[in-house]
Amino acid sequence: EVQLVESGGGLVKPGGSLRLSCAASGFTFSGYYMNWVRQAPGKGLEWVSSIGSINTYIYYADSVKGRFTISRDNAKNSLYLQMNSLRAEDTAVYFCARDPYCDGGTCYSDYWGQGTLVTVSS
Amino acid sequence: EIVLTQSPGTLSLSPGERATLSCRASQSVSSSNLVWYQQKPGQAPRLLIYGASRRATGIPDRFSGSGSGTDFTLTISRLEPEDFAVYYCQQYGSSPRTFGQGTKVEIK
């Protein structure tokens, strides 16, 4: 059974940093693109960042470019999101998700974690 | 980037009725690279349809997707109580992937 479990969320002050983790199991992690999607309270879904199967093909949304860094450790079946210079508008539930198919680097997701809440507030 | 506009914002229907949800793209979505997700409160999105019309594993056949180019539709033939949720479309034909704003299907 495919499982994705996020951790690392919490309350952080504006300008602060946080590192999210996503532990994957039930599939060959190294064979898939992975991504982070966020959802602000009561709002829709927003893609944040994607990474190819071997730390290549890394992409970011304009809203987080230069502040967030995605990475993965295939030996540990884990995905990460380092978030720096956090802003109030980064407040959201952050989901990690598996991408089974990509067309030209743009993908869709078939399995999602339950998410971890990041709150940026003073 | 491609902007996806979903309509209506809210659909009020009774169990057993047919639901028709629309997703319109600001430009053509290549290769019908469009998916539909279902999301219930406090839960992660669940993949329903990929490639505009292909049901994901384990999805009941009352869910169907259609469309191409700029106009896509998700149809739920007969609503079951568990189908009341928010539905999102997402395109993966052009970078970056983008989502529609969602359609809420609520019990009338």
Side-chain angles (χ1 to χ4, degrees):
Chain A
E1 178 193 5
V2 173
Q3 284 201 317
L4 298 167
V5 180
E6 302 92 339
S7 60
L11 176 63
V12 61
K13 288 182 168 54
S17 298
L18 215 52
R19 188 193 195 208
L20 305 184
S21 299
C22 172
S25 61
F27 66 102
T28 304
F29 180 71
S30 60
Y32 288 84
Y33 279 51
M34 298 293 294
N35 76 101
W36 291 96
V37 171
R38 67 185 180 184
Q39 186 169 37
K43 302 297 185 183
L45 301 167
E46 179 190 15
W47 169 75
V48 172
S49 182
S50 300
I51 187 168
S53 56
I54 50 171
N55 277 309
T56 54
Y57 302 109
I58 290 175
Y59 305 97
Y60 298 99
D62 288 345
S63 57
V64 306
K65 202 172 293 183
R67 301 187 298 123
F68 289 12
T69 302
I70 191 172
S71 63
R72 64 190 295 163
D73 184 338
N74 289 339
K76 294 183 178 180
N77 290 340
S78 293
L79 175 72
Y80 306 102
L81 186 67
Q82 177 66 44
M83 304 186 295
N84 299 331
S85 303
L86 283 161
R87 307 166 179 166
E89 54 265 35
D90 295 319
T91 294
V93 173
Y94 285 73
F95 297 100
C96 73
R98 184 182 86 164
D99 291 341
Y101 176 79
C102 301
D103 187 344
T106 309
C107 319
Y108 72 88
S109 303
D110 61 350
Y111 286 94
W112 300 60
Q114 286 303 303
T116 186
L117 176 62
V118 172
T119 303
V120 184
S121 174
S122 54
Chain B
E1 69 178 45
I2 294 180
V3 176
L4 299 178
T5 302
Q6 293 186 239
S7 62
T10 301
L11 202 48
S12 299
L13 295 168
S14 301
E17 289 193 293
R18 182 185 187 90
T20 303
L21 288 67
S22 172
C23 177
R24 179 161 290 178
S26 60
Q27 54 189 281
S28 184
V29 176
S30 64
S31 305
S32 294
N33 285 343
L34 187 119
V35 297
W36 290 92
Y37 299 104
Q38 176 195 68
Q39 188 180 33
K40 297 179 181 178
Q43 296 186 16
R46 173 193 181 197
L47 178 66
L48 298 175
I49 301 287
Y50 65 97
S53 61
R54 300 172 182 174
R55 271 188 301 277
T57 303
I59 301 303
D61 60 8
R62 65 179 180 273
F63 291 92
S64 63
S66 63
S68 63
T70 60
D71 289 296
F72 298 87
T73 300
L74 175 70
T75 302
I76 310 171
S77 58
R78 288 178 56 86
L79 282 164
E80 297 288 340
E82 62 267 29
D83 298 337
F84 292 92
V86 179
Y87 293 83
Y88 294 94
C89 56
Q90 179 231 308
Q91 65 83 23
Y92 55 102
S94 174
S95 181
R97 74 181 82 180
T98 50
F99 294 89
Q101 82 281 15
T103 289
K104 182 179 182 181
V105 178
E106 65 175 23
I107 299 177
K108 186 174 181 180

